[in-house]
Amino acid sequence: DIQMTQSPSLLSASVGDRVTLSCKASQNIYKYLNWYQQKLGEAPKLLIYYTNSLQTGIPSRFSGSGSGTDYTLTISSLQPEDVATYFCQQYNSWPLTFGSGTKLEIK
Amino acid sequence: EVQLVESGGGLVQPGRSLKLSCLASGFTFSNYGMNWIRQAPGKGLEWVASISSSSSYIYYADTVKGRFTISRDNAKNTLYLQMTSLRSEDTALYYCARSVYTTDYYYSDYWGQGVMVTVSS
């Protein structure tokens, strides 16, 4: 199984900051990576698919990048409504696996 | 509007069975694959099972293989998860999610609100 490691587990940043979340796969996943946002008490929401494709309706301050084993979700200017836990997920091979999440807080 | 509504959860004793349902609306259900994904209290997301649009392809996590069965009834726009031999570690909020897949894409673009399953004596 492909292990997904997210870092940091907790991130505190100020409104307006540029924020970078990392996700590392245990083997090459050939950009087959999605990012989901989960706010407290809500179902996850798709943000980014196939490493860098922005889901319809998601603000352009969110972007994704990466290749091989290393991937990044960037928020260009952090907003209060971005407080959430962010999960990466690989679909290069079964079983589908998620990272353990990065909890993003406002400082 | 796409809607996914799970039902069938509850409190069940270890070793017993439970069947979850997910009623879909707002899209052509038979054109999409579907997933079950769960989240233990205070924990992260764990993929459980996936089924293709025509039920031709089915995949399970090793943690549920042989105990859980995913199925669908396209005439009823409903996804199912039959869970048997339940264990305490199956306690979680179970989400159904619509999947979109192509050569390069496989993602869950709509999720239900989840249904809670608690396995305890």
Side-chain angles (χ1 to χ4, degrees):
Chain A
D1 298 2
I2 297 176
Q3 309 303 316
M4 305 300 293
T5 302
Q6 290 187 243
S7 61
S9 56
L10 176 64
L11 180 58
S12 184
S14 300
V15 173
D17 282 354
R18 182 181 181 87
V19 171
T20 300
L21 285 63
S22 295
C23 176
K24 186 175 182 68
S26 59
Q27 63 190 70
N28 192 340
I29 57 171
Y30 304 97
K31 296 190 174 185
Y32 295 138
L33 182 101
N34 303 323
W35 288 95
Y36 296 90
Q37 176 195 63
Q38 187 178 32
K39 296 183 179 180
L40 192 64
E42 298 184 5
K45 177 194 293 185
L46 176 69
L47 296 178
I48 302 278
Y49 59 94
Y50 193 41
T51 292
N52 57 14
S53 296
L54 192 66
Q55 172 66 349
T56 303
I58 301 302
S60 59
R61 64 180 180 274
F62 290 93
S63 64
S65 63
S67 62
T69 61
D70 296 308
Y71 297 84
T72 298
L73 174 69
T74 299
I75 307 173
S76 60
S77 178
L78 185 65
Q79 300 302 303
E81 60 266 31
D82 299 335
V83 168
T85 300
Y86 293 82
F87 296 95
C88 61
Q89 177 238 321
Q90 68 81 23
Y91 58 97
N92 177 69
S93 62
W94 302 94
L96 307 181
T97 48
F98 289 89
S100 57
T102 292
K103 187 175 182 180
L104 180 57
E105 299 180 339
I106 299 292
K107 193 181 293 182
Chain B
E1 178 194 7
V2 172
Q3 283 197 314
L4 298 168
V5 180
E6 303 96 336
S7 61
L11 174 63
V12 61
Q13 293 179 327
R16 303 298 291 265
S17 300
L18 203 61
K19 187 172 186 177
L20 305 183
S21 300
C22 172
L23 179 62
S25 61
F27 65 102
T28 304
F29 181 70
S30 59
N31 287 350
Y32 289 85
M34 298 294 295
N35 302 306
W36 286 101
I37 295 159
R38 69 185 181 183
Q39 187 168 35
K43 302 296 185 182
L45 301 171
E46 180 189 13
W47 168 76
V48 173
S50 296
I51 187 169
S52 62
S53 56
S54 61
S55 304
S56 299
Y57 300 97
I58 289 175
Y59 302 93
Y60 295 101
D62 286 345
T63 52
V64 307
K65 196 176 296 182
R67 299 187 299 122
F68 290 11
T69 302
I70 189 172
S71 63
R72 62 190 297 160
D73 186 334
N74 286 345
K76 295 183 178 179
N77 291 343
T78 303
L79 173 73
Y80 302 101
L81 186 67
Q82 176 68 56
M83 304 183 293
T84 65
S85 303
L86 282 162
R87 307 166 180 169
S88 58
E89 53 264 38
D90 296 319
T91 294
L93 187 63
Y94 284 73
Y95 293 104
C96 73
R98 186 179 85 167
S99 59
V100 173
Y101 51 91
T102 68
T103 303
D104 289 324
Y105 306 153
Y106 190 99
Y107 55 82
S108 296
D109 61 346
Y110 286 94
W111 298 57
Q113 282 305 300
V115 60
M116 189 67 201
V117 173
T118 303
V119 183
S120 175
S121 54

